[in-house]
């Protein structure tokens, strides 16, 4: 798994980022009254707007002013997932050989690691939801050319331009990776590596609960059991420190006949786990050998 995808999944499990709910544009959805209906989309095109604008409504408004010159179905920022056009109608964003059968969304620029991770998570989860509505939508493969007028899978606009024709755009270059027209991807600065369509599809697979390389279900979740004879158990801020004097609360296993929690992550493997409690939220807990804690 890539460093970026691991960071996204860890932040998601810890509640630090969330998949943003889809909201409809304040002026409603663009539609053609059935003139350009394509029914069920089968492939996906990822766009980047090519500016430092971060407001999804403003970016959508720019495209909606010339709807047959270029627009996409959704606009996703670090804080919004905006539906702008009916997803069962053609989006005019990628040329004749890319528009007629694809679900298309536009990424805005983000100015922080947090917003980038939340934007990427939101896009992946939105596609998973769309695939439940459209069974033919192929979100589990990196896009590949089937013939001159059709590709299958998930691809970025730049690949579509090079392989399907119709446009000369290169996005997501300049945002996910590399540089273009004065824009330099911020992703490498945040993570020490750049992002790619291959990583994005791998993230979708992880969120669907499947390990792409192994082709099997992910390992079951680990659980933490605190024994019924433990009268008190300190918990700490998930980020530390995890020593006496820094506790943020105290669990009472004996009062409830023992307690059990899902282990969300390990801060120190086998020693400090991250759990989510009812009273104190997401916390770190010391569970090293000899404490009486049971890990299964």
């Amino acid at each position: 798994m890539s460093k970026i995808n691991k960071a996204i999944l860890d932040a998601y499990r810890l509640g630090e980022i969330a998949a943003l709910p889809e909201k409809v544009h304040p002026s409603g959805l663009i539609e053609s009254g059935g003139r350009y209906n394509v029914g069920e989309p089968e492939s996906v095109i990822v766009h980047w707007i090519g500016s430092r604008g971060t407001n999804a409504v403003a970016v959508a408004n720019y495209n909606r002013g010339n709807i047959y010159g270029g627009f996409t179905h959704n606009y996703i920022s670090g804080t919004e997932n905006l539906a702008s056009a009916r997803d069962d109608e053609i989006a005019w964003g990628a040329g004749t050989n890319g528009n007629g059968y694809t679900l298309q969304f536009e990424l805005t620029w983000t100015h922080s690691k947090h917003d980038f991770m939340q934007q990427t998570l939101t896009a992946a989860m939105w596609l998973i939801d769309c695939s439940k509505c459209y069974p033919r939508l192929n979100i589990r493969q990196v896009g590949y050319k089937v013939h001159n007028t059709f590709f299958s899978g998930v691809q970025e606009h730049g690949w579509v331009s090079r392989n399907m024709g119709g446009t000369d755009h290169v996005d997501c270059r300049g945002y996910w990776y590399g540089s273009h027209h004065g824009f330099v991807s911020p992703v490498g600065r945040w993570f020490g590596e750049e992002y790619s369509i291959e990583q994005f599809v791998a993230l979708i697979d992880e969120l669907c609960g499947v390990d792409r390389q192994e082709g099997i279900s992910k390992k079951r979740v680990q659980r933490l059991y605190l024994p019924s004879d433990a009268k008190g158990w300190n918990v700490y801020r998930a980020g530390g420190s995890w020593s006496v004097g820094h506790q943020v609360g105290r669990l009472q296993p004996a009062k409830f006949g023992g307690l059990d929690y899902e282990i969300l992550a390990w801060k120190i493997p086998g020693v400090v786990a991250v759990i989510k409690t009812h009273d104190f939220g997401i916390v770190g807990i010391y569970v090293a050998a000899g404490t009486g804690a049971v890990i299964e």
Side-chain angles (χ1 to χ4, degrees):
M1 184 188 303
S2 75
K3 183 188 299 184
I4 297 176
N5 281 352
K6 184 178 186 304
I8 292 170
L9 292 168
D10 286 348
Y12 179 42
R13 295 195 70 198
L14 291 172
E16 296 171 353
I17 60 173
L20 301 169
E22 184 181 44
K23 297 181 179 179
V24 175
H25 189 281
S27 298
L29 298 177
I30 296 172
E31 58 178 306
S32 67
R35 181 181 177 189
Y36 296 110
N37 184 274
V38 294
E40 184 173 335
E42 300 181 48
S43 303
V44 178
I45 301 176
V46 185
H47 298 260
W48 164 55
I49 190 60
S51 76
R52 288 188 172 83
T54 60
N55 184 291
V57 175
V59 171
N61 285 345
Y62 175 80
N63 284 168
R64 286 165 70 99
N66 182 22
I67 64 171
Y68 299 117
F71 70 92
T72 63
H73 295 107
N74 277 45
Y75 294 79
I76 301 175
S77 69
T79 58
E80 298 172 283
N81 178 13
L82 185 73
S84 183
R86 285 181 51 145
D87 52 24
D88 60 350
E89 293 198 350
I90 290 176
W92 299 78
T96 303
N97 294 335
N99 286 335
Y101 53 92
T102 54
L103 190 64
Q104 302 185 41
F105 66 94
E106 193 98 45
L107 300 172
T108 72
W109 190 263
T110 52
H111 289 288
S112 70
K113 182 178 180 179
H114 171 276
D115 282 4
F116 172 81
M117 292 195 296
Q118 186 154 274
Q119 176 190 57
T120 308
L121 172 71
T122 297
M125 293 293 279
W126 174 66
L127 289 180
I128 291 170
D129 287 343
C130 289
S131 71
K132 296 173 183 176
C133 298
Y134 301 115
R136 292 167 61 187
L137 184 65
N138 180 7
I139 64 169
R140 304 296 288 277
Q141 289 181 290
V142 175
Y144 61 94
K145 188 173 183 176
V146 178
H147 51 72
N148 287 338
T149 59
F150 181 79
F151 80 91
S152 181
V154 182
Q155 264 299 350
E156 59 177 317
H157 191 185
W159 182 94
V160 176
S161 295
R162 295 190 302 274
N163 291 274
M164 308 302 295
T167 69
D168 59 0
H169 293 197
V170 300
D171 44 320
C172 297
R173 176 178 293 279
Y175 180 53
W176 272 3
Y177 61 91
S179 60
H180 180 65
H181 286 180
F183 293 97
V184 179
S185 169
V187 178
R189 184 175 73 251
W190 293 330
F191 296 96
E193 67 179 27
E194 296 181 320
Y195 209 52
S196 66
I197 200 69
E198 289 79 11
Q199 291 177 71
F200 182 60
V201 173
L203 176 65
I204 292 171
D205 271 357
E206 290 290 338
L207 290 167
C208 287
V210 173
D211 186 312
R212 187 175 182 81
Q213 293 182 337
E214 298 293 334
I216 58 176
S217 297
K218 294 173 70 176
K219 293 180 180 179
R220 67 181 179 85
V221 171
Q222 284 187 299
R223 298 201 69 83
L224 165 66
Y225 297 92
L226 303 180
S228 59
D229 59 355
K231 294 182 179 179
W233 209 295
N234 289 339
V235 291
Y236 307 87
R237 291 175 60 88
S241 297
W242 310 294
S243 57
V244 175
H246 296 280
Q247 62 266 29
V248 295
R250 189 170 175 84
L251 303 176
Q252 302 178 63
K255 182 178 179 180
F256 301 98
L259 293 170
D260 75 276
Y261 300 95
E262 176 185 343
I263 295 176
L264 301 178
W266 286 99
K267 287 298 184 180
I268 303 176
V271 178
V272 178
V274 177
I275 61 174
K276 185 174 183 179
T277 68
H278 180 270
D279 292 327
F280 308 110
I282 294 174
V283 294
I285 184 169
Y286 186 78
V287 293
T291 61
V294 176
I295 311 297
E296 291 186 354

